[in-house]
Amino acid sequence: MSVSSPRVVFVCQKNAGKSQLAAALMRDLAGDAVEVLSAGTHPGPALNVQSVESLTEVGVGVGDEHPKALTDAMLGWADVVVVLGAEAQVEPVPGTRFERWITDEPSERGIAGMERMRLVRDDIRARVEELRLRL
């Protein structure tokens, strides 16, 4: 009997930054032990350049990822849905664990640019590491 890998969907509003960061970091940390998707409730046109650069700094790539819309099929596929930020609104699916991560927003303290993105990345990375251990 084979045991399937846990399946996680990371969701944010645009699927251009935070959910893509979380997905890339989980893929890097967990490898094939966790199946990962990311999506947005209102996907943007392209990935956030600074998000991608912040991942590159720590040796993590995004591959051919691009913003995509969250679907009912993705929600049904997932064991865990993690919604990043307060903007994205997702209706919970019975039997699927839902979490909302409100990441620290350095811009509220006047921190911008790559310094901001590194702080966001590191906050999300710590949460991803903790989730991986729980899975």
Side-chain angles (χ1 to χ4, degrees):
M1 176 170 98
S2 68
V3 176
S4 65
S5 301
R7 297 172 298 209
V8 180
V9 176
F10 292 102
V11 181
C12 68
Q13 188 172 34
K14 294 182 182 177
N15 190 225
K18 292 176 183 174
S19 58
Q20 291 284 354
L21 283 168
L25 290 165
M26 180 63 85
R27 287 184 194 105
D28 183 63
L29 291 167
D32 293 337
V34 178
E35 295 180 62
V36 179
L37 294 174
S38 71
T41 56
H42 296 90
L47 297 183
N48 178 293
V49 172
Q50 288 185 337
S51 292
V52 174
E53 288 175 5
S54 76
L55 287 169
T56 301
E57 286 182 347
V58 295
V60 176
V62 294
D64 63 353
E65 285 295 320
H66 60 280
K68 56 199 143 315
L70 180 64
T71 66
D72 289 341
M74 289 176 179
L75 293 173
W77 171 86
D79 297 309
V80 180
V81 174
V82 177
V83 181
L84 289 96
E87 298 84 15
Q89 298 303 312
V90 180
E91 287 295 318
V93 174
T96 301
R97 187 169 76 211
F98 271 69
E99 298 183 15
R100 183 173 298 273
W101 295 353
I102 304 297
T103 58
D104 175 51
E105 185 44 68
S107 63
E108 294 174 358
R109 298 186 314 276
I111 301 170
M114 281 305 292
E115 182 181 2
R116 171 194 172 269
M117 193 53 62
R118 288 179 188 114
L119 291 168
V120 170
R121 177 201 62 211
D122 293 347
D123 180 62
I124 291 173
R125 183 182 193 106
R127 293 168 188 260
V128 166
E129 288 174 345
E130 192 271 331
L131 175 60
R132 182 184 61 87
L133 293 173
R134 286 189 283 129
L135 295 173

